[in-house]
Amino acid sequence: MESSNPEGDGLPPPPPIIPPNVVPIVAEEKSLDLIKKPSTPKRVPMTRPGIGSKGQRIPLLTNHFKVAVNKSDGYFFHYSIAMLYEDGTPVDGKGIGRKVLDKVKETYGSELEHKEFAYDGEKSLFTVGPLPRNRLDFLVVLDDISSTRRTGSPGGSSNPGESAGDMKRVKKQFQSKTLKVQVNFATKIPMQAIVNALRGQDSEHFQEAVRVLDIILRQNAAKQGCLLVRQSFFHNNPRNFAELGAGVLGCRGFHSSFRATQGGLSLNMDVSTTMIVKPGPVLNFLMENQNVKTPYQIDWIKAKRMLKNLRITTYSSKMEYKITGLTDKPCKEQRFFLKTKKGQDGDGEEITVSNYFAEYKHLPVRDSADFPCINVGKPKSPSYFPLELCNLVSLQRYTKALSSLQRASLVEKSRQKPQERMSVLRDALKTSKYDADLMLRSSGISIGADFVQVEGRVLSAPKLKVGDGQDFFPRNGRWNFNNKKLIQPVKIERWAICNFSARCDTRYLVNNMLKCGEMKGIVINDPFFVFEENNQNRRDPAPVRVDKMIEYIKSKLPGPPQLLLCILPERKNSDIYGPWKRRNLSELGIVTQCIAPAKLNDQYITNVLLKINAKLGGMNSLLQVEHSPSIPLVSKCPTLILGMDVSHGSPGRSDVPSIAAVVSSRNWPLISRYRAAVRTQSPKVEMIASLFKPVSDKEDAGIIRELLLDFYATSNSRKPDQIIIFRDGVSESQFNQVLNLELDQIIQACKFLDESWSPKFMVIVAQKNHHTKFFQTNSTENVPAGTIIDNKVCHPKNNDFYLCSHAGMIGTTRPTHYHVLYDELGFSADDLQELVHSLSYVYQRSTTAISVVAPICYAHLAAAQISQFIKFDDMSETSSSHGGGVTVAGGVAVPELPRLHANVINSMFFC
């Protein structure tokens, strides 16, 4: 070991460490900076003005465990780690780092003063107190590295397809390898930061200090052989696996992270599920993945895509490799040059892979001689194995999009009743053995064994107004329209049915629709015609089938109908849905309702009628307080409510544009009627780029202007004095961007319309993607609908609360975590919580309270429906042939969505 002090050797200072809560701004967001911003000071999330008091109090438990912080005067020391081979080449390959650091600790324990450390698996190492020197250099010899450098094929000299030089190097490399490890001091983090943050004081180092504690948890799980997915850990235990179909397994593990709360530091533990590739023979996996019965039916182009970068072990060498590709030729024809052991360079023979394994390895290739070989090498030095000798390693994440069947299976198999979840979490805490973790101990951290107790409050359900002046009280978040009429039913006079070869008794459907409609107050005339698809068209591509159906409709109907009821043959993912919606909503301006009925009962038909009524401009129910109107602050002066969300393509699809959707309330003082505006933007960009989009001195093509003009037109020519923004899908690290980048755009859009107009703003973020759950202390059931928690486990300083507005009927209720970032309106805690709760009851598609405010739900729906207009799977990254032009933001060209027809643009088409 060598050691040196950087102060005397002229080395540059270490690179600055980016705090984990700072998100680099990507190109598209940078382009927002080009828009001139008002010179306002930077906004930060507001502090909590007080807690609520309304509602019936209820004792609850939560999946947080109390953490005692027994050390506050020390420092975490952060060191950067570099690992190099002897020739100076950096070591790559995940998983090696932990082996190397373990070897360093084992070999140089005394030089490290036997200090415990936390290593993040990559380039950062943390200790409590300093190491002996600011810079340390170690040499370690590691046996059996199962990841390679120049050759991707660590199989020793027996591997086919390698040159003699490659063989020698690989063989030597896998007998043993000398590595150089450099440890350089980067910075130190005061432990006092944790204590300060828990007192509600601003603490710039808090996130970094808690990140160290979270890294200790990850290291603890890594030592137990877990798959690590951020702060979720998955053991290799088949009892935790569930079949999802197509060679994919659901794998149950647990999430574990530290949180700062009003009650102090806590450990948040929750059950977590990820998807993994089914371990075992590669051929079996491919047949299951492609749903074929024999290997001869496998599509090898798909197989190549699916297998790339997965890890395998082989019967011949028992070592682990990463798949780099498949051969074009079958195993019995794929040749390579085999050098003789003692011959000169160039001595040897050409041999096929199957003959090589039969002759030299005594492993005759029986089942896969006709199929490609797996290649685990690099382009210039391939290394081949017959498929039948390869097994997929366990705990490999499956990151592609799940089919609707797989998703349904995952939900069904991963749900747990509250008591079962509590039991699993108690066991997970015990098996984690955090109390024995030496690094946690040296950090002064000890974790309690009991669920934290909190007090919740159950808010009363808001009173609803239905037809004939009746009032109605929902019970436990549910109601129905039995013997009741809708508050604003529509009249459906001109409509038709289009049946795309679905098995459906249309006469029975029509009779029931007329009967159910009459009971709800909807007057429905007989349909003009039932258009049955010609059987010859069934095998045509979906867009062609849609075009033919629309030509058929045009030839028969005297004019555009109010509604087309479309019967689809498949319940989920019908190819017809996207082209059908696009033609009707974008080109023809006709409201359309798609159904794929499994059973045609009154309940099903009534639910369909609720959607149709909302789409055609009716209302099913209203809140009594908006009908009166008497909503605190909102009813007193014109108030616009926005719901904002960005939907991204499936993981691994960096070419699919993200879809930004904003819905806005209309017809003030109502808060139940909405309209949507949707745009594409660069893939995976979370900040909405087109809220304000000036294209000239007088023209703004942004989303907000469109919605403001609609509000003005539907609210007696009143501009909103107050704008309440509900934002979904952002993490805490992005709050400042929402408050500054996005809110600035909205303010600029207002000023662009009228320089003298200064509405007041409120910004609320809704998060569903968190791990806090609540349990009743005296019942095995889920918490009641309307349960709100704003104490003990909320942020020590910021204004947030948890709300379970819906009745959790299956599994364990997931509360929505609302963060009130900004409030110029001056809401009291009770009034705001009641408003948020009430907005869960204005969702026109169902007769239940939903789990998140309706504007956010509608934004999801609008994005999902309009994204079907462009079949992104078929397009290249810059293709614009599918829809009106290309928009370039931040240098990435994305296709623009076709605009909605004027007849439907203001409707609740997304319902």
Side-chain angles (χ1 to χ4, degrees):
M1 189 201 89
E2 307 156 17
S3 65
S4 60
N5 191 324
E7 290 170 20
D9 59 13
L11 285 175
I17 303 299
I18 298 175
N21 61 333
V22 173
V23 178
I25 295 177
V26 297
E28 181 144 8
E29 288 160 7
K30 208 176 276 181
S31 71
L32 303 179
D33 295 335
L34 303 178
I35 300 169
K36 194 174 125 244
K37 287 198 179 73
S39 54
T40 52
K42 191 177 176 190
R43 303 178 195 95
V44 294
M46 67 181 288
T47 54
R48 180 181 286 105
I51 60 173
S53 59
K54 283 188 180 176
Q56 185 178 345
R57 296 180 189 280
I58 179 173
L60 301 171
L61 295 174
T62 181
N63 58 338
H64 285 237
F65 299 89
K66 183 95 178 106
V67 175
V69 184
N70 304 316
K71 201 169 193 172
S72 62
D73 54 350
Y75 287 85
F76 288 120
F77 278 69
H78 180 177
Y79 296 87
S80 61
I81 301 291
M83 297 180 197
L84 309 166
Y85 291 105
E86 286 171 290
D87 61 3
T89 314
V91 175
D92 57 4
K94 276 194 172 180
I96 294 184
R98 292 190 193 277
K99 288 182 190 173
V100 174
L101 264 292
D102 286 346
K103 192 76 175 177
V104 167
K105 191 174 182 182
E106 178 191 317
T107 313
Y108 298 103
S110 56
E111 285 88 337
L112 291 167
E113 296 178 349
H114 298 287
K115 195 172 271 297
E116 294 298 322
F117 56 72
Y119 172 55
D120 71 350
E122 293 182 15
K123 293 183 177 175
S124 290
L125 181 142
F126 300 90
T127 58
V128 177
L131 291 173
R133 298 273 189 282
N134 278 357
R135 172 169 171 168
L136 297 163
D137 291 298
F138 303 106
L139 287 177
V140 293
V141 177
L142 210 63
D143 301 324
D144 231 28
I145 300 183
S146 62
S147 173
T148 57
R149 235 177 351 135
R150 300 191 179 110
T151 70
S153 43
S157 60
S158 64
N159 275 337
E162 292 172 345
S163 69
D166 284 332
M167 285 182 190
K168 283 178 192 165
R169 183 170 57 246
V170 169
K171 190 168 186 180
K172 181 183 166 197
Q173 182 174 317
F174 280 88
Q175 286 165 347
S176 64
K177 196 73 195 168
T178 303
L179 304 178
K180 190 175 182 182
V181 182
Q182 297 174 348
V183 180
N184 285 300
F185 170 73
T187 187
K188 59 181 186 176
I189 303 157
M191 292 179 173
Q192 184 66 32
I194 296 174
V195 178
N196 292 349
L198 297 176
R199 290 179 185 147
Q201 298 167 1
D202 281 327
S203 176
E204 58 177 311
H205 296 294
F206 169 72
Q207 291 290 354
E208 296 159 69
V210 167
R211 175 174 165 244
V212 177
L213 298 181
D214 283 344
I215 286 168
I216 298 172
L217 299 182
R218 282 174 61 84
Q219 177 171 278
N220 177 290
K223 284 178 178 172
Q224 298 177 49
C226 291
L227 164 66
L228 311 182
V229 183
R230 292 180 293 277
Q231 286 301 127
S232 292
F233 315 130
F234 303 90
H235 287 271
N236 188 16
N237 184 342
R239 282 188 320 174
N240 297 333
F241 300 164
E243 294 268 0
L244 303 182
V248 182
L249 302 179
C251 177
R252 196 175 76 188
F254 63 92
H255 166 93
S256 192
S257 66
F258 289 99
R259 307 276 307 169
T261 69
Q262 295 137 305
L265 195 65
S266 68
L267 178 74
N268 178 206
M269 285 191 78
D270 193 20
V271 176
S272 187
T273 306
T274 194
M275 285 75 68
I276 60 170
V277 171
K278 190 173 183 177
V282 172
L283 272 175
N284 292 7
F285 166 74
L286 288 175
M287 287 191 290
E288 209 173 318
N289 181 250
Q290 298 188 15
N291 194 23
V292 296
K293 292 192 167 51
T294 76
Y296 289 92
Q297 297 169 288
I298 290 171
D299 177 334
W300 293 105
I301 294 171
K302 278 187 189 171
K304 189 174 184 176
R305 271 203 307 266
M306 177 58 67
L307 293 176
K308 191 169 172 62
N309 294 329
L310 290 179
R311 299 190 317 279
I312 53 164
T313 54
T314 68
Y315 290 113
S316 59
S317 70
K318 305 296 181 195
M319 292 187 61
E320 198 174 293
Y321 309 95
K322 183 190 276 190
I323 299 174
T324 53
L326 294 178
T327 57
D328 294 328
K329 291 180 181 174
C331 190
K332 65 186 181 188
E333 294 174 20
Q334 180 66 50
R335 294 178 169 275
F336 68 96
F337 185 76
L338 179 68
K339 183 181 178 299
T340 51
K341 281 187 180 175
K342 292 181 182 175
Q344 300 296 314
D345 279 352
D347 287 354
E349 60 172 325
E350 282 274 326
I351 188 169
T352 65
V353 175
S354 57
N355 286 348
Y356 168 81
F357 276 92
E359 290 175 31
Y360 290 87
K361 291 292 185 180
H362 310 296
L363 290 167
V365 180
R366 295 192 174 92
D367 301 327
S368 57
D370 297 328
F371 310 132
C373 303
I374 281 181
N375 181 8
V376 297
K378 295 283 172 76
K380 289 182 181 174
S381 54
S383 179
Y384 307 126
F385 286 106
L387 276 160
E388 67 194 66
L389 300 184
C390 300
N391 278 329
L392 287 165
V393 174
S394 191
L395 291 186
Q396 298 193 76
R397 282 186 79 198
Y398 179 86
T399 55
K400 295 174 174 59
L402 294 181
S403 69
S404 52
L405 283 174
Q406 287 173 318
R407 202 176 299 115
S409 178
L410 178 68
V411 169
E412 182 192 338
K413 290 174 180 175
S414 59
R415 67 170 63 121
Q416 292 172 307
K417 282 287 187 190
Q419 296 302 310
E420 183 190 352
R421 186 174 287 253
M422 290 175 80
S423 171
V424 168
L425 290 176
R426 282 193 187 99
D427 291 346
L429 184 61
K430 279 180 197 156
T431 55
S432 299
K433 297 182 179 156
Y434 290 141
D435 52 346
D437 189 291
L438 296 174
M439 187 64 192
L440 276 179
R441 274 194 200 171
S442 64
S443 307
I445 295 293
S446 56
I447 298 164
D450 299 319
F451 286 78
V452 167
Q453 295 185 335
V454 298
E455 184 180 72
R457 293 173 288 114
V458 183
L459 301 179
S460 300
K463 192 192 294 185
L464 299 180
K465 207 84 178 159
V466 292
D468 295 334
Q470 287 183 289
D471 289 343
F472 194 67
F473 285 98
R475 288 188 180 176
N476 196 26
R478 306 178 80 79
W479 65 96
N480 62 54
F481 279 105
N482 293 348
N483 308 316
K484 291 178 179 61
K485 287 187 163 50
L486 308 183
I487 191 163
Q488 289 175 15
V490 294
K491 195 171 183 182
I492 307 174
E493 295 172 307
R494 303 180 321 281
W495 69 293
I497 294 176
C498 312
N499 184 8
F500 282 96
S501 305
R503 289 180 184 171
C504 180
D505 184 342
T506 50
R507 189 66 252 167
Y508 177 79
L509 170 67
V510 169
N511 289 341
N512 265 27
M513 279 185 68
L514 268 59
K515 180 189 77 176
C516 292
E518 186 181 359
M519 288 162 63
K520 301 291 159 271
I522 302 174
V523 177
I524 309 176
N525 293 351
D526 279 328
F528 180 85
F529 200 77
V530 176
F531 296 93
E532 296 282 355
E533 183 179 39
N534 187 323
N535 278 338
Q536 293 174 341
N537 300 343
R538 289 173 63 177
R539 287 184 172 77
D540 287 338
V544 175
R545 291 172 71 181
V546 168
D547 290 344
K548 287 180 177 176
M549 178 65 84
I550 284 172
E551 289 311 308
Y552 185 20
I553 293 167
K554 283 179 175 176
S555 70
K556 290 278 187 186
L557 288 185
Q562 271 175 288
L563 170 75
L564 286 176
L565 183 69
C566 172
I567 308 172
L568 297 174
E570 302 96 0
R571 285 200 65 204
K572 297 279 184 187
N573 297 339
S574 172
D575 288 343
I576 293 164
Y577 183 86
W580 175 256
K581 285 286 183 185
R582 175 176 175 157
R583 286 294 311 269
N584 280 283
L585 294 178
S586 181
E587 295 171 31
L588 304 173
I590 298 170
V591 170
T592 171
Q593 176 62 52
C594 294
I595 60 171
K599 51 184 181 184
L600 279 173
N601 55 25
D602 285 5
Q603 179 69 56
Y604 180 88
I605 288 171
T606 300
N607 286 344
V608 170
L609 286 174
L610 293 181
K611 288 161 61 97
I612 290 172
N613 190 57
K615 286 179 180 183
L616 291 174
M619 294 301 293
N620 303 329
S621 61
L622 291 174
L623 298 170
Q624 197 272 333
V625 287
E626 64 177 324
H627 190 261
S628 20
S630 55
I631 306 168
L633 297 183
V634 173
S635 298
K636 285 182 180 170
C637 61
T639 302
L640 172 68
I641 296 176
L642 299 177
M644 303 184 0
D645 183 41
V646 178
S647 300
H648 305 291
S650 58
R653 290 298 306 271
S654 59
D655 56 331
V656 175
S658 293
I659 306 275
V662 184
V663 301
S664 64
S665 60
R666 54 207 312 257
N667 299 98
W668 176 82
L670 296 188
I671 59 170
S672 289
R673 203 189 288 276
Y674 291 84
R675 175 214 198 273
V678 185
R679 304 280 195 278
T680 48
Q681 61 184 37
S682 293
K684 305 289 185 261
V685 172
E686 184 54 54
M687 292 300 113
I688 301 178
S690 48
L691 295 169
F692 175 53
K693 201 172 180 182
V695 289
S696 71
D697 289 347
K698 293 186 178 173
E699 196 181 348
D700 166 16
I703 290 173
I704 295 300
R705 181 187 179 93
E706 185 182 320
L707 300 177
L708 289 172
L709 292 174
D710 176 74
F711 182 90
Y712 185 81
T714 61
S715 305
N716 297 320
S717 302
R718 301 279 301 269
K719 289 196 288 261
D721 294 333
Q722 303 176 146
I723 298 178
I724 300 174
I725 300 160
F726 286 97
R727 179 66 159 94
D728 188 33
V730 291
S731 62
E732 288 178 46
S733 63
Q734 295 166 314
F735 286 178
N736 285 334
Q737 287 178 297
V738 170
L739 268 181
N740 293 285
L741 284 174
E742 288 188 341
L743 183 53
D744 272 353
Q745 282 192 80
I746 295 170
I747 291 169
Q748 286 172 275
C750 295
K751 292 288 185 191
F752 200 84
L753 269 173
D754 180 352
E755 187 64 44
S756 64
W757 174 37
S758 299
K760 292 178 179 174
F761 287 93
M762 180 170 213
V763 180
I764 303 170
V765 167
Q767 287 179 335
K768 294 278 286 180
N769 197 14
H770 61 83
H771 290 277
T772 296
K773 304 284 191 301
F774 298 100
F775 310 91
Q776 295 201 57
T777 55
N778 49 13
S779 168
T780 58
E781 298 299 310
N782 270 310
V783 298
T787 300
I788 196 158
I789 298 95
D790 60 3
N791 67 89
K792 210 81 173 271
V793 289
C794 293
H795 195 279
K797 180 179 135 187
N798 295 351
N799 190 8
D800 66 330
F801 58 89
Y802 292 92
L803 175 61
C804 305
S805 49
H806 64 302
M809 307 308 285
I810 48 178
T812 304
T813 297
R814 178 184 293 197
T816 299
H817 192 184
Y818 290 99
H819 301 260
V820 186
L821 302 187
Y822 195 67
D823 179 16
E824 294 180 320
L825 281 63
F827 265 101
S828 70
D830 279 323
D831 285 348
L832 177 62
Q833 290 169 6
E834 293 244 295
L835 173 66
V836 171
H837 184 222
S838 296
L839 282 169
S840 304
Y841 281 80
V842 302
Y843 188 59
Q844 298 297 309
R845 281 165 54 114
S846 72
T847 54
T848 58
I850 54 174
S851 62
V852 68
V853 290
I856 279 177
C857 227
Y858 287 147
H860 277 300
L861 291 172
Q865 189 166 134
I866 292 197
S867 67
Q868 295 284 326
F869 283 17
I870 298 178
K871 207 65 181 158
F872 292 123
D873 291 336
D874 305 332
M875 52 170 258
S876 71
E877 223 166 291
T878 55
S879 163
S880 61
S881 58
H882 294 276
V886 170
T887 178
V888 180
V892 180
V894 292
E896 285 184 4
L897 292 166
R899 300 308 295 264
L900 294 180
H901 192 283
N903 293 353
V904 295
I905 196 166
N906 296 323
S907 73
M908 288 175 69
F909 67 86
F910 42 80
C911 246

